[in-house]
Coordinates of all heavy atoms in Angstrom, one line a residue:
S1 N 49.8 24.7 -167.0 CA 50.0 23.6 -166.0 C 49.8 22.3 -166.6 O 49.3 22.2 -167.7 CB 49.1 23.8 -164.8 OG 47.7 23.7 -165.2
K2 N 50.2 21.2 -165.9 CA 50.0 19.9 -166.5 C 48.5 19.6 -166.5 O 47.7 19.9 -165.6 CB 50.6 18.9 -165.5 CG 52.2 18.9 -165.6 CD 52.7 17.8 -164.7 CE 54.2 17.8 -164.7 NZ 54.8 16.8 -163.9
R3 N 48.0 19.1 -167.7 CA 46.6 18.7 -167.8 C 46.5 17.3 -168.4 O 47.2 16.9 -169.3 CB 45.9 19.7 -168.8 CG 45.8 21.1 -168.2 CD 45.1 22.0 -169.2 NE 45.0 23.3 -168.7 CZ 44.5 24.4 -169.3 NH1 44.0 24.2 -170.5 NH2 44.5 25.6 -168.8
H4 N 45.6 16.6 -167.8 CA 45.3 15.2 -168.3 C 46.5 14.3 -168.4 O 46.7 13.5 -169.3 CB 44.6 15.3 -169.7 CG 43.5 16.3 -169.8 ND1 42.3 16.1 -169.1 CD2 43.3 17.4 -170.5 CE1 41.5 17.1 -169.3 NE2 42.1 17.9 -170.1
G5 N 47.4 14.5 -167.4 CA 48.6 13.7 -167.3 C 49.7 14.0 -168.3 O 50.7 13.3 -168.4
K6 N 49.5 15.1 -169.1 CA 50.5 15.4 -170.1 C 51.5 16.4 -169.5 O 51.2 17.1 -168.5 CB 49.9 16.1 -171.3 CG 49.0 15.2 -172.1 CD 48.4 15.9 -173.3 CE 47.4 15.0 -174.0 NZ 46.8 15.6 -175.1
T7 N 52.8 16.4 -170.0 CA 53.8 17.3 -169.4 C 53.5 18.7 -170.0 O 52.8 18.9 -171.0 CB 55.2 16.8 -169.8 OG1 55.2 16.7 -171.2 CG2 55.5 15.5 -169.2
T8 N 54.1 19.6 -169.3 CA 54.0 21.0 -169.7 C 54.6 21.2 -171.1 O 55.7 20.8 -171.3 CB 54.6 22.0 -168.7 OG1 54.1 21.7 -167.4 CG2 54.4 23.4 -169.0
P9 N 53.9 21.9 -172.1 CA 54.5 22.1 -173.4 C 55.7 23.0 -173.3 O 55.8 23.9 -172.4 CB 53.3 22.8 -174.2 CG 52.1 22.5 -173.4 CD 52.5 22.3 -172.0
K10 N 56.6 22.9 -174.3 CA 57.8 23.8 -174.3 C 57.8 24.4 -175.7 O 57.3 23.9 -176.7 CB 59.0 23.0 -174.1 CG 59.1 22.4 -172.8 CD 60.4 21.6 -172.7 CE 60.6 20.9 -171.3 NZ 61.8 20.1 -171.2
W11 N 58.5 25.6 -175.8 CA 58.9 26.1 -177.1 C 60.4 26.5 -177.0 O 60.8 26.8 -175.9 CB 58.0 27.3 -177.6 CG 57.9 28.4 -176.7 CD1 56.9 28.7 -175.8 CD2 58.8 29.6 -176.6 NE1 57.1 29.9 -175.2 CE2 58.3 30.4 -175.6 CE3 60.0 29.9 -177.2 CZ2 58.9 31.6 -175.3 CZ3 60.6 31.1 -176.9 CH2 60.1 31.9 -175.9
Y12 N 61.1 26.4 -178.1 CA 62.5 26.7 -178.1 C 62.9 27.3 -179.4 O 62.6 26.8 -180.5 CB 63.2 25.3 -177.9 CG 64.7 25.5 -177.8 CD1 65.4 26.1 -176.8 CD2 65.5 25.0 -178.9 CE1 66.7 26.2 -176.8 CE2 66.9 25.1 -178.9 CZ 67.5 25.7 -177.8 OH 68.9 25.8 -177.8
F13 N 63.7 28.4 -179.4 CA 64.2 29.0 -180.6 C 65.7 28.8 -180.5 O 66.4 29.5 -179.8 CB 63.9 30.5 -180.7 CG 62.4 30.7 -180.9 CD1 61.8 31.9 -180.4 CD2 61.7 29.9 -181.6 CE1 60.5 32.1 -180.6 CE2 60.3 30.1 -181.9 CZ 59.7 31.3 -181.3
P14 N 66.3 27.9 -181.3 CA 67.8 27.8 -181.3 C 68.5 29.0 -181.9 O 69.6 29.2 -181.6 CB 68.0 26.5 -182.1 CG 66.8 26.4 -183.0 CD 65.7 27.0 -182.2
H15 N 67.8 29.7 -182.7 CA 68.4 30.9 -183.3 C 67.5 32.1 -183.2 O 66.8 32.4 -184.1 CB 68.7 30.7 -184.8 CG 69.6 29.5 -185.0 ND1 71.0 29.6 -184.8 CD2 69.4 28.2 -185.4 CE1 71.5 28.4 -185.1 NE2 70.5 27.6 -185.4
P16 N 67.5 32.8 -182.0 CA 66.7 33.9 -181.8 C 67.2 35.1 -182.6 O 68.1 35.0 -183.4 CB 66.7 34.2 -180.3 CG 67.7 33.3 -179.8 CD 68.2 32.4 -180.8
G17 N 66.6 36.3 -182.4 CA 67.0 37.5 -183.2 C 68.3 38.1 -182.8 O 69.2 37.5 -182.1
R18 N 68.5 39.3 -183.3 CA 69.7 40.1 -183.1 C 69.4 41.4 -182.4 O 68.3 42.0 -182.6 CB 70.4 40.3 -184.5 CG 70.7 39.0 -185.2 CD 71.4 39.2 -186.5 NE 72.7 39.8 -186.3 CZ 73.8 39.1 -186.1 NH1 73.8 37.8 -186.0 NH2 75.0 39.7 -186.0
E19 N 70.4 41.9 -181.7 CA 70.2 43.2 -181.0 C 71.4 44.1 -181.2 O 72.5 43.6 -181.5 CB 70.0 42.9 -179.5 CG 71.2 42.4 -178.8 CD 71.0 42.2 -177.3 OE1 69.9 42.5 -176.8 OE2 72.0 41.9 -176.6
G20 N 71.1 45.4 -181.2 CA 72.2 46.4 -181.4 C 71.7 47.5 -182.2 O 70.5 47.8 -182.2
L21 N 72.6 48.2 -182.9 CA 72.3 49.3 -183.8 C 72.3 48.9 -185.2 O 73.2 48.2 -185.7 CB 73.3 50.5 -183.5 CG 73.1 51.3 -182.3 CD1 74.3 52.2 -182.1 CD2 71.9 52.2 -182.4
I22 N 71.4 49.5 -186.0 CA 71.3 49.2 -187.4 C 71.1 50.6 -188.1 O 70.3 51.4 -187.7 CB 70.1 48.3 -187.8 CG1 70.1 47.0 -187.0 CG2 70.0 48.0 -189.3 CD1 68.8 46.4 -186.9
E23 N 71.9 50.8 -189.2 CA 71.7 52.0 -190.0 C 71.1 51.6 -191.4 O 71.7 50.6 -192.0 CB 73.0 52.7 -190.2 CG 73.5 53.4 -188.9 CD 74.7 54.3 -189.2 OE1 74.9 54.8 -190.3 OE2 75.5 54.4 -188.2
L24 N 70.1 52.2 -191.8 CA 69.4 52.0 -193.1 C 69.5 53.1 -194.0 O 69.5 54.3 -193.5 CB 67.9 51.7 -192.8 CG 67.5 50.6 -191.8 CD1 66.0 50.6 -191.6 CD2 67.9 49.3 -192.3
K25 N 69.6 52.9 -195.3 CA 69.5 53.9 -196.3 C 68.4 53.6 -197.2 O 68.3 52.5 -197.8 CB 70.9 53.9 -197.1 CG 70.9 55.0 -198.2 CD 72.2 54.9 -198.9 CE 72.3 55.9 -200.0 NZ 73.6 55.7 -200.8
I26 N 67.4 54.6 -197.3 CA 66.3 54.5 -198.2 C 66.5 55.4 -199.4 O 66.6 56.6 -199.2 CB 65.0 54.8 -197.5 CG1 64.8 53.8 -196.3 CG2 63.8 54.7 -198.4 CD1 63.6 54.1 -195.4
T27 N 66.5 54.8 -200.6 CA 66.8 55.5 -201.8 C 65.6 55.4 -202.8 O 65.1 54.3 -203.0 CB 68.1 54.9 -202.5 OG1 69.1 54.8 -201.5 CG2 68.5 55.8 -203.7
P28 N 65.2 56.5 -203.4 CA 64.1 56.4 -204.4 C 64.6 55.8 -205.7 O 65.7 56.1 -206.1 CB 63.7 57.8 -204.6 CG 64.8 58.7 -204.2 CD 65.6 57.9 -203.1
L29 N 63.9 54.8 -206.2 CA 64.2 54.2 -207.5 C 63.5 54.9 -208.7 O 63.8 54.7 -209.8 CB 63.9 52.7 -207.5 CG 64.7 51.9 -206.5 CD1 64.3 50.5 -206.5 CD2 66.2 52.0 -206.7
R30 N 62.4 55.6 -208.3 CA 61.6 56.4 -209.3 C 61.4 57.7 -208.7 O 61.6 57.9 -207.5 CB 60.2 55.7 -209.5 CG 60.2 54.5 -210.3 CD 58.8 54.2 -210.8 NE 58.7 53.2 -211.7 CZ 58.4 51.9 -211.4 NH1 58.2 51.6 -210.2 NH2 58.4 51.0 -212.3
N31 N 60.9 58.7 -209.4 CA 60.5 59.9 -208.9 C 59.4 59.7 -207.8 O 58.4 59.0 -208.1 CB 59.9 60.9 -210.0 CG 61.0 61.4 -210.9 OD1 62.2 61.3 -210.5 ND2 60.7 61.8 -212.1
W32 N 59.6 60.3 -206.7 CA 58.6 60.2 -205.7 C 58.5 61.5 -205.0 O 59.4 62.3 -205.0 CB 58.8 59.1 -204.7 CG 60.0 59.1 -203.9 CD1 61.1 59.9 -204.0 CD2 60.3 58.3 -202.7 NE1 62.1 59.6 -203.1 CE2 61.6 58.6 -202.3 CE3 59.6 57.3 -202.1 CZ2 62.2 58.0 -201.2 CZ3 60.2 56.7 -201.0 CH2 61.5 57.0 -200.6
S33 N 57.3 61.8 -204.4 CA 57.0 63.1 -203.8 C 57.5 63.2 -202.4 O 57.8 62.2 -201.8 CB 55.5 63.3 -203.9 OG 54.9 62.4 -203.0
K34 N 57.6 64.4 -202.0 CA 57.9 64.7 -200.5 C 56.9 64.0 -199.6 O 57.2 63.6 -198.5 CB 58.1 66.2 -200.3 CG 58.5 66.5 -198.9 CD 58.6 68.0 -198.7 CE 59.2 68.3 -197.3 NZ 58.3 67.8 -196.2
E35 N 55.6 64.0 -200.1 CA 54.6 63.4 -199.3 C 54.8 61.9 -199.1 O 54.6 61.4 -198.0 CB 53.2 63.7 -200.0 CG 52.7 65.1 -199.9 CD 53.4 66.0 -200.9 OE1 54.0 65.5 -201.8 OE2 53.3 67.2 -200.6
E36 N 55.3 61.2 -200.1 CA 55.6 59.8 -199.9 C 56.7 59.6 -199.0 O 56.7 58.7 -198.1 CB 55.9 59.2 -201.3 CG 54.7 59.0 -202.2 CD 55.0 58.5 -203.5 OE1 56.0 59.1 -204.2 OE2 54.4 57.5 -204.0
L37 N 57.8 60.4 -199.1 CA 58.9 60.4 -198.1 C 58.5 60.6 -196.7 O 58.8 59.9 -195.8 CB 60.0 61.3 -198.6 CG 61.3 61.4 -197.7 CD1 62.0 60.0 -197.7 CD2 62.2 62.4 -198.2
D38 N 57.7 61.7 -196.5 CA 57.2 62.0 -195.2 C 56.3 60.9 -194.7 O 56.2 60.6 -193.5 CB 56.5 63.4 -195.2 CG 57.4 64.5 -195.3 OD1 58.6 64.4 -195.1 OD2 57.0 65.6 -195.7
G39 N 55.5 60.3 -195.6 CA 54.6 59.2 -195.2 C 55.4 58.0 -194.7 O 55.0 57.4 -193.7
L40 N 56.6 57.7 -195.3 CA 57.4 56.7 -194.7 C 58.0 57.0 -193.3 O 58.0 56.2 -192.5 CB 58.6 56.4 -195.7 CG 58.4 55.5 -196.8 CD1 59.7 55.4 -197.6 CD2 58.0 54.1 -196.3
K41 N 58.3 58.3 -193.1 CA 58.8 58.7 -191.8 C 57.7 58.5 -190.8 O 57.9 58.1 -189.7 CB 59.2 60.2 -191.9 CG 60.5 60.4 -192.7 CD 60.8 61.9 -192.7 CE 62.0 62.2 -193.5 NZ 62.3 63.6 -193.6
V42 N 56.4 58.9 -191.1 CA 55.3 58.7 -190.2 C 55.1 57.2 -189.9 O 54.9 56.8 -188.8 CB 54.0 59.4 -190.8 CG1 52.8 59.0 -189.9 CG2 54.2 60.9 -190.8
I43 N 55.2 56.4 -190.9 CA 55.0 54.9 -190.7 C 56.1 54.4 -189.8 O 55.8 53.6 -188.9 CB 55.2 54.2 -192.1 CG1 53.9 54.5 -193.0 CG2 55.3 52.7 -191.9 CD1 52.6 54.0 -192.4
L44 N 57.3 54.8 -189.9 CA 58.4 54.4 -189.0 C 58.1 54.9 -187.6 O 58.4 54.1 -186.7 CB 59.8 55.0 -189.5 CG 60.5 54.2 -190.6 CD1 61.6 55.0 -191.2 CD2 61.1 52.9 -190.0

């Protein structure tokens, strides 16, 4: 609310985010284990 005679603060994003479907491809660049791959799945 207004305090001490000041106007209410504002915020504004002229370029907000994006929405929709995204497809990702994760490729190993070095040898990695199945445990590391499964770990990424758990993180996601």
